[in-house]
Amino acid sequence: MTITDDLGRTHGYADLPRLMGLMTGDEKHGPAATSTLDVLWVLYDRVLDVAPVRRDDPERDRFLLSKGHGPMAYYAVLAAKGFVPVDWLPDFGAYDSPLGHHPDRMLVPGAEIGSGSLGHGLPIAVGTALGLRAQGLSGPGVWVLIGDAELDEGSNHEAIAFAGPAGLERLHTVVVDNASASHARPGGIAARFEAAGWSALTVDGRDHEALHAAFTAPHPGRPHVVVARVEPKSA
């Protein structure tokens, strides 16, 4: 799917490398960004119920980027989908640019949280899902994208342990696994979530059809995690 901007230009998946290439400068965290590209595209293109004109709609889905260090892919997808102007991208990281090295929800249209510090996104997502449930809003989904290295942080394990027994079925976590964790055992990410009562699937993080199928798999009564494996960070 493509989107047309005010000048009649269309932006689709094939445009993402060009859009990312507009962002230059130091502290780009390139591997952190490129590892998330396909996950972000499939979510925004085919799964999330969000749109630029519905940024404040209580019934919108909430997407929380916890892996906020290296947000170029996120900014490129937001630009492709019309949340931010493409002409903001070349100023990425500049002093007066709204597109910082970590996203700021007060400056970036469509961003639900400020992020980049490891271990914060999943606990915030749990609180968001609880808050929506307390308000009687059963429609919106809550999605959070984390990196495998974030599972080195104890705050995430507390959130995992709580969400399963709480039955937060509108909570969805995507773990982009580029083998950068220090303490997680290889292949053990899904098992960690399953032990806490989550529904869990592991897929190729570059395969769009596999990602879509995993994202939309039913998981009644349970939160859901998709482990998206990509090439190792050091590769």
Side-chain angles (χ1 to χ4, degrees):
M1 184 181 296
T2 57
I3 187 167
T4 303
D5 65 16
D6 291 339
L7 298 179
R9 297 171 298 201
T10 58
H11 302 293
Y13 175 75
D15 295 295
L16 296 182
R18 176 181 62 84
L19 295 175
M20 288 182 67
L22 295 174
M23 290 173 272
T24 60
D26 296 332
E27 299 185 21
K28 287 187 66 175
H29 289 286
T34 55
S35 67
T36 67
L37 186 63
D38 295 277
V39 163
L40 287 166
W41 180 256
V42 174
L43 283 173
Y44 273 90
D45 193 53
R46 301 173 62 182
V47 178
L48 296 174
D49 184 12
V50 294
V53 296
R54 296 181 56 232
R55 294 201 310 266
D56 298 319
D57 184 349
E59 295 290 342
R60 74 189 185 281
D61 285 345
R62 274 70 166 175
F63 174 76
L64 283 59
L65 179 69
S66 186
K67 190 179 170 72
H69 56 290
M72 290 81 65
Y74 182 51
Y75 292 155
V77 170
L78 289 179
K81 292 300 181 181
F83 287 88
V84 303
V86 171
D87 60 13
W88 282 12
L89 300 180
D91 292 329
F92 163 72
Y95 174 75
D96 57 352
S97 172
L99 305 182
H101 292 131
H102 291 187
D104 184 331
R105 74 178 186 88
M106 302 301 293
L107 299 176
V108 181
E112 296 281 356
I113 60 171
S115 63
S117 297
L118 300 184
H120 291 177
L122 182 52
I124 295 173
V126 168
T128 301
L130 282 170
L132 291 172
R133 187 163 73 178
Q135 296 174 70
L137 295 173
S138 59
V142 179
W143 293 78
V144 58
L145 192 161
I146 71 174
D148 62 315
E150 291 194 69
L151 295 175
D152 290 347
E153 301 292 334
S155 55
N156 276 326
H157 292 276
E158 293 176 1
I160 293 167
F162 176 86
L168 296 179
E169 66 177 28
R170 300 305 293 156
L171 174 64
H172 311 78
T173 298
V174 184
V175 183
V176 174
D177 181 6
N178 65 355
S180 61
S182 300
H183 304 295
R185 68 184 187 276
I189 295 176
R192 170 67 187 90
F193 283 83
E194 288 175 327
W198 289 58
S199 166
L201 293 170
T202 300
V203 298
D204 180 346
R206 300 302 186 191
D207 184 329
H208 290 196
E209 293 306 318
L211 286 167
H212 181 260
F215 292 159
T216 56
H219 50 95
R222 296 191 292 169
H224 184 54
V225 63
V226 175
V227 181
R229 289 179 174 168
V230 298
E231 58 280 0
K233 183 177 179 180
S234 58

